[in-house]
Every structure is written in structure tokens, then in C-alpha cells.
Amino acid sequence: LYAHENVVTDAVNKMYKVYDHQYDLRYYTNTSADEQWSKGYPAKYVCNDISVKTNSSATIPWVATYSGGSRSDRNWIFYRLTDVMLMQAEALVELAGDNLKTTDEDGNQVIDDNLNRAFSIVWAINRRSLMTPNYATPDSKTTGLVLKQDKYQTKEDMRELVQAERRRELMFEGKRWFDLLRVCHRNGQTTDYIKKNVPAKGSSTGVILFVSYDALFWPYNKTELKSNTALKQKPFYGASDGEDKNYESSLKK
């Protein structure tokens, strides 16, 4: 089971579509890449131990070593503190105005409080993953990599920042697909956001799966349709009555 190539090669090829730079600790702890940086498997919560050290001679500034574990070692974590924090950040963004800077009742320009609080949450999570010799003081190479609020001037900018940080922080924890679905639903039940953010494994498959909002969800099981006649199948998956002659024959057998 391998991670998608655009995750494995993102920082080493300096594409920075997933991670903002090569100094994000999560780049090394989320995925264990091969020596060619062409593919990698999820390492987070699979390896027993991950050690990341400086590596001045490599094409990247750090190198990670991994130690494996048995299947009985796995702990399934459904919600972590950072997950809850990012939920709060997303909610705060939706409560905010359209712009980062607004005008108060006296006519003074101020930063929207909800967007300001949301940014502070994302900043804290992102900052903790910036690898520097001293946590409190970024070195000369990393001082410019700390998130700057002036880059996120609108509500939409902040929406994208929260989603990007959720992707980095919660990678391989089963959250990403539902984050994308939630944004699609909020955007008027369209598939545009999915099309933009999910690389299709084969163009024909991608076109079929993302042509309809209903296609983003599993169909109802036929036994459920038989048990509950008020339940109608999603239009994408065929007739709403759920009738299937082959299915009926299999039941009789």
C-alpha cells in the first residue's frame, strides 16, 4: 500500500503543493520513501519508532530512519487534540466575515476576530512541526518559513489554509476524504472541489466518479431497499426501486 506519488515527491522535488517547505517534520514522519523518492508507504502509526536527523549531504536537509512493528502494536486514534483544534479553526472561519481586516463601530480597521483566532490555531499546529535546532528561535534557513497572517487576507484564503493544514497534520488518519466531501457540500453539492484536489487514478475512472455529487457516496444496499420501501436508491446508481432480476433470482436460490 503506497502513498500517492504527489505526496512522496512533494518536498524533495520542491513542488510544495502538500507541504510548504522541506522543513516540515510531517513530511518525514508521514511517509517512508524509497531511495529514489519515487514511491513510499505510510509510516505514521505503522512504524514503532521514527527518528529524524539532519543530513547535510543529501538533497533534502533531513533523513528519517524507521523501525517496524507487529500488527498487534497498532493503536487506532480517532480524534487527536490537533484534530479538535482544526475543527474549531474551520468553524471560526465560517463564522467570520469575508475579509481578514474589517472596520469596527468607530471606523477603525481591525482584524476579524474569528479569522484571527482561526489563524492562531493553525499557526500553533504548523509551527510545532517546523524542524529547527531551537523551537523558540528559527535558524537562518527557517526563519522565513513560519506562517505569516498577511498572506491570508480573505475568508476563502483561510478556508484553504485550514484544509491544507488538516491534510498535512491528519494524513493517513482517515480524515481527508470526509474533509473534501464537507467542502463540496458547503459549496452547493458540486464536485468541483473534489476534481481539483483528488488526482484520478485513470482518467476514465475519475470522470465517472466525479460527474455527480451522488457518486461521491456509496449506494444503499439492495437488502436495505427491500426492507424499507420508503428508501430510494441514489439516482447515480440506477432505478430508485432497487429491482434487479438477477438479484431476485439469487435470493430464491
Side-chain angles (χ1 to χ4, degrees):
L1 181 64
Y2 292 104
H4 196 280
E5 182 182 357
N6 68 354
V7 174
V8 181
T9 63
D10 183 75
V12 71
N13 288 345
K14 299 182 179 181
M15 295 184 292
Y16 303 138
K17 293 182 179 180
V18 180
Y19 301 93
D20 292 330
H21 47 72
Q22 294 178 340
Y23 291 83
D24 193 322
L25 176 67
R26 296 166 296 193
Y27 180 62
Y28 306 91
T29 58
N30 282 344
T31 309
S32 172
D34 62 14
E35 293 181 358
Q36 289 76 37
W37 293 88
S38 59
K39 62 182 180 181
Y41 62 84
K44 180 201 282 188
Y45 300 138
V46 175
C47 294
N48 270 353
D49 182 66
I50 302 173
S51 175
V52 184
K53 298 180 180 180
T54 57
N55 187 17
S56 58
S57 62
T59 56
I60 56 174
W62 307 86
V63 61
T65 56
Y66 308 87
S67 65
S70 67
R71 293 180 180 180
S72 61
D73 294 333
R74 305 282 66 82
N75 291 314
W76 294 97
I77 301 173
F78 294 98
Y79 293 100
R80 295 192 287 117
L81 176 60
T82 49
D83 190 2
V84 178
M85 292 169 68
L86 288 167
M87 289 181 196
Q88 182 184 18
E90 188 172 346
L92 287 167
V93 170
E94 295 309 310
L95 289 171
D98 291 331
N99 298 305
L100 177 65
K101 294 183 178 179
T102 58
T103 303
D104 64 14
E105 58 185 14
D106 296 323
N108 300 313
Q109 194 176 56
V110 295
I111 293 179
D112 186 290
D113 184 58
N114 286 316
L115 290 181
N116 190 44
R117 291 169 62 195
F119 180 84
S120 296
I121 292 171
V122 176
W123 184 94
I125 294 171
N126 187 279
R127 177 66 184 86
R128 116 190 184 284
S129 296
L130 178 61
M131 293 189 290
T132 63
N134 185 312
Y135 174 86
T137 309
D139 60 17
S140 59
K141 293 181 179 180
T142 58
T143 185
L145 301 180
V146 180
L147 287 178
K148 300 294 192 300
Q149 192 169 21
D150 57 10
K151 290 180 61 178
Y152 307 96
Q153 291 293 317
T154 67
K155 183 173 185 173
E156 188 58 35
D157 291 339
M158 284 298 302
R159 279 175 172 165
E160 288 298 313
L161 175 63
V162 172
Q163 289 302 320
E165 195 64 23
R166 284 186 63 85
R167 184 183 186 186
R168 291 186 284 263
E169 177 66 21
L170 306 173
M171 188 174 289
F172 306 126
E173 295 184 36
K175 309 288 183 179
R176 178 64 173 167
W177 179 250
F178 300 100
D179 286 349
L180 296 175
L181 288 180
R182 187 168 60 257
V183 176
C184 285
H185 186 77
R186 187 173 62 222
N187 289 349
Q189 298 188 5
T190 69
T191 60
D192 294 343
Y193 197 76
I194 289 276
K195 291 177 182 177
K196 174 184 174 183
N197 286 278
V198 177
K201 294 183 178 180
S203 58
S204 60
T205 301
V207 170
I208 293 172
L209 289 180
F210 302 150
V211 71
S212 165
Y213 181 74
D214 281 338
L216 303 181
F217 302 87
W218 287 111
Y220 295 120
N221 190 286
K222 289 181 178 179
T223 56
E224 295 295 328
L225 294 173
K226 296 296 180 182
S227 300
N228 182 358
T229 56
L231 190 62
K232 303 299 181 182
Q233 185 61 277
K234 297 182 178 70
F236 179 80
Y237 293 100
S240 60
D241 59 7
E243 290 190 7
D244 185 320
K245 293 182 179 179
N246 293 329
Y247 174 73
E248 295 289 349
S249 299
S250 66
L251 283 182
K252 293 178 181 179
K253 293 179 181 179

